[in-house]
């Protein structure tokens, strides 16, 4: 542990002349990886459907969600860095056990279902590209994702995740292969348009549920704890207040970059789908692979290949994050030794939970459950779970007995509560849709 910490600290401080890109890789951290993992195969399916159904007019919603998701993710990161514990670790110490287990159970179930849906999309994407059995590819991808997170040491694994974020540029490539009417596209981003019909509000709920998900909160908070523990000089901020200013500045820059990157890629997918599928009258997209298949006759073989390959790359990034956040949530609730910087034999229960989440996700492929319906229900569970998690997190980060000298205040707190209110209205809208 000491040798690893020293190595990571040395790597982070070594910004010698290997080029600006490698220096950027050392600068970006949990916030950037979290933002990139938000564009998982299920999210790609949501954004593709949004663009196909509603065209450019839905793009503005992604600009609207940016400050909300950036604020709530920064709050989660501050909680981890200030207290030295993740969300679940703080929740089980300061709130009733029943609330803790309600939240942890919802997060674990939602993550497992999401893993299953993402692996299914990855398997289908590889089948589209090279043929063969998608079920075999599901097992292969699941094994690769879980093996990497279990057996690679933390510093090397984080480097792998950072490089994997490059797969998202596939959607920038697909964007420039589409024949986009840029005047209409920019107008769709900058001018809010609301259509008072079921299709618009269902799509809006899906976009908000995709961009603001509980697993992202748990992952970023816990990774801030990991990063702090790997730096021999860093301490939780409530016991080392002199470290707060540079730590908060880094968290803000990292989170803003990550969420901006996430939303730019999402906008690229929406615009690509609007310029190709919507324009051609293709409006029924059930998944990310459906979008890839529909794209080929409209935008050409190369655009199809790029889009399908992007599904695989984003899945390789998102599945480990989903499994890892589930393991953090459960492990901290049980007060087990947790952390990717630990060797498997030092945190057996934590890694067993992580592997179980991945295995259960793979298992969905071999049940009668429809992966597309599973994806829908994971979005529903995520939306329902997000509201209590966000509300409790906002309360925790305002309590001085938890945050010490650094409770979240001012505009950041206002944006956090606004984000919570928006998600609450989304869940209410979903319930009303069911009832009516």
């Amino acid at each position: 542990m000491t040798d690893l910490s020293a190595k990571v600290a040395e790597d982070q401080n070594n910004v010698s002349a290997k080029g600006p890109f490698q220096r950027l890789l050392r600068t970006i951290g949990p916030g950037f990886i979290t933002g990139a993992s938000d564009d998982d195969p299920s999210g790609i399916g949501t954004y593709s459907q949004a663009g196909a159904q509603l065209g450019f007019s839905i793009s503005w919603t992604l600009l609207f969600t940016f400050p909300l998701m950036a604020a709530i993710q920064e709050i989660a990161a501050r909680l981890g860095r200030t207290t030295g514990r993740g969300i679940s670790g703080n929740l089980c110490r300061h709130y009733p056990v029943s609330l803790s287990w309600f939240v942890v159970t919802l997060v674990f179930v939602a993550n497992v279902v999401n893993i299953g849906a993402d692996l299914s999309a990855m398997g289908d994407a590889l089948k589209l590209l090279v043929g063969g059995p998608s079920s075999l590819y599901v097992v292969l991808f699941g094994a690769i994702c879980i093996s990497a997170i279990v057996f690679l040491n933390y510093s090397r694994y984080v480097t792998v995740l950072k490089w994997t974020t490059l797969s998202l540029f596939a959607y920038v490539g697909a964007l420039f292969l589409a024949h986009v009417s840029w005047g209409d596209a920019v107008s769709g981003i900058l001018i809010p348009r609301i259509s008072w019909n079921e299709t618009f509000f269902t799509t809006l709920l899906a976009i908000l549920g995709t961009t603001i998900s509980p697993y992202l909160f748990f992952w970023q908070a816990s990774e801030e704890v990991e990063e702090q523990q790997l730096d021999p000089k860093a301490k939780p901020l409530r016991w080392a207040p002199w470290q707060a200013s540079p730590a908060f500045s880094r968290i803000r820059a990292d989170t803003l970059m990550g969420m901006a990157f996430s939303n730019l890629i999402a906008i690229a997918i929406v615009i690509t789908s609007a310029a190709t599928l919507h324009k051609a009258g293709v409006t029924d997209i059930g998944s990310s692979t459906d979008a890839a298949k529909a794209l080929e006759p409209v935008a050409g073989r190369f655009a199809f290949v790029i889009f399908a390959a992007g599904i695989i790359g984003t899945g390789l990034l998102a599945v480990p994050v989903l499994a890892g956040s589930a393991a953090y949530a459960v492990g901290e609730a049980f007060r087990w030794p947790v952390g990717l910087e630990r060797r498997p034999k030092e945190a057996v229960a934590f890694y067993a939970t992580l592997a179980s989440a991945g295995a259960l996700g793979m298992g969905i492929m071999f049940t009668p459950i429809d992966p597309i319906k599973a994806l829908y229900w994971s979005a529903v569970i995520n939306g329902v779970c997000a509201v209590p998690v966000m509300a409790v997190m906002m309360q925790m980060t305002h309590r001085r007995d938890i945050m010490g000298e650094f409770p979240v205040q001012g505009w950041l707190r206002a944006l956090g509560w606004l984000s919570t209110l928006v998600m609450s209205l989304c869940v209410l809208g979903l319930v009303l849709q069911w009832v009516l």
Side-chain angles (χ1 to χ4, degrees):
M1 177 70 179
T2 303
D3 293 341
L4 178 59
S5 299
K7 183 180 184 302
V8 172
E10 181 183 352
D11 288 345
Q12 291 176 335
N13 291 328
N14 178 20
V15 290
S16 59
K18 290 188 177 181
F21 185 72
Q22 287 200 0
R23 288 198 291 272
L24 177 63
L25 279 178
R26 292 190 180 98
T27 301
I28 61 178
F32 192 86
I33 293 171
T34 302
S37 68
D38 192 25
D39 293 325
D40 65 337
S42 61
I44 293 165
T46 297
Y47 303 136
S48 300
Q49 174 73 356
Q53 278 195 322
L54 297 170
F56 298 119
S57 65
I58 196 68
S59 303
W60 68 271
T61 58
L62 290 161
L63 196 63
F64 169 72
T65 62
F66 170 66
L68 302 182
M69 66 188 295
I72 204 70
Q73 288 299 142
E74 181 178 338
I75 290 168
R78 285 191 177 213
L79 178 65
R81 184 65 182 87
T82 301
T83 64
R85 297 190 182 101
I87 294 173
S88 187
N90 280 293
L91 192 60
C92 71
R93 287 170 172 82
H94 300 285
Y95 291 86
V97 174
S98 57
L99 176 61
S100 176
W101 278 108
F102 170 73
V103 170
V104 168
T105 301
L106 284 178
V107 169
F108 186 85
V109 171
N111 284 17
V112 165
V113 175
N114 216 336
I115 289 169
D118 284 353
L119 288 173
S120 177
M122 294 162 69
D124 288 342
L126 188 56
K127 182 180 178 179
L128 286 176
L129 292 172
V130 302
S134 59
S135 57
L136 174 63
Y137 299 147
V138 167
V139 174
L140 177 64
F141 285 132
I144 290 172
C145 291
I146 301 305
S147 297
I149 198 171
V150 171
F151 295 111
L152 288 179
N153 70 47
Y154 179 74
S155 59
R156 185 170 300 170
Y157 176 67
V158 167
T159 301
V160 169
L161 288 182
K162 289 177 181 179
W163 280 104
T164 307
T165 61
L166 294 178
S167 63
L168 290 168
F169 284 105
Y171 298 105
V172 177
L175 172 64
F176 286 103
L177 291 172
H179 300 290
V180 178
S181 172
W182 287 106
D184 293 337
V186 172
S187 174
I189 294 171
L190 299 180
I191 301 175
R193 295 180 177 89
I194 298 176
S195 302
W196 300 95
N197 56 55
E198 181 182 351
T199 300
F200 175 83
F201 285 103
T202 301
T203 304
L204 179 61
L205 289 173
I207 288 174
L208 287 167
T210 299
T211 55
I212 304 175
S213 298
Y215 78 88
L216 302 173
F217 317 152
F218 280 83
W219 174 263
Q220 188 166 354
S222 295
E223 290 312 286
E224 284 295 336
V225 178
E226 295 266 14
E227 295 286 334
Q228 174 258 304
Q229 291 175 345
L230 285 173
D231 185 347
K233 298 179 181 179
K235 304 295 180 187
L237 298 180
R238 62 170 300 170
W239 290 286
W242 57 89
Q243 297 179 359
S245 181
F248 287 157
S249 296
R250 176 195 57 77
I251 286 171
R252 176 159 299 167
D254 183 27
T255 302
L256 286 174
M257 282 194 297
M259 300 307 117
F261 182 58
S262 172
N263 278 31
L264 285 173
I265 298 300
I267 289 172
I269 295 170
V270 170
I271 291 176
T272 300
S273 300
T276 54
L277 305 181
H278 181 76
K279 186 176 180 181
V282 180
T283 59
D284 188 15
I285 302 296
S287 68
S288 52
T289 47
D290 281 352
K293 286 187 287 187
L295 196 63
E296 183 173 11
V298 178
R301 176 71 182 177
F302 190 46
F304 155 75
V305 170
I306 289 177
F307 206 92
I311 294 170
I312 297 171
T314 59
L316 290 172
L317 172 65
V319 169
V321 172
L322 283 159
S325 64
Y328 280 119
V330 174
E332 289 180 347
F334 273 115
R335 305 194 187 189
W336 294 333
V338 300
L340 298 175
E341 91 285 355
R342 299 178 187 271
R343 296 183 178 90
K345 64 181 180 181
E346 297 172 335
V348 175
F350 170 76
Y351 281 105
T353 304
L354 190 155
S356 297
L360 289 170
M362 280 188 282
I364 291 176
M365 181 69 185
F366 304 97
T367 68
I369 298 174
D370 182 346
I372 303 304
K373 290 183 179 178
L375 184 59
Y376 170 78
W377 283 108
S378 73
V380 171
I381 295 171
N382 270 323
V384 172
C385 183
V387 175
V389 172
M390 293 166 74
V392 172
M393 191 164 65
M394 291 305 301
Q395 290 182 336
M396 284 195 291
T397 53
H398 195 60
R399 287 175 53 173
R400 290 188 177 274
D401 60 326
I402 298 175
M403 299 292 287
E405 298 177 29
F406 306 107
V408 173
Q409 297 175 327
W411 66 265
L412 183 60
R413 179 171 169 80
L415 273 179
W417 276 117
L418 177 60
S419 182
T420 306
L421 175 62
V422 168
M423 286 303 298
S424 300
L425 293 175
C426 284
V427 173
L428 178 61
L430 186 63
V431 172
L432 290 176
Q433 179 180 315
W434 287 342
V435 172
L436 299 177

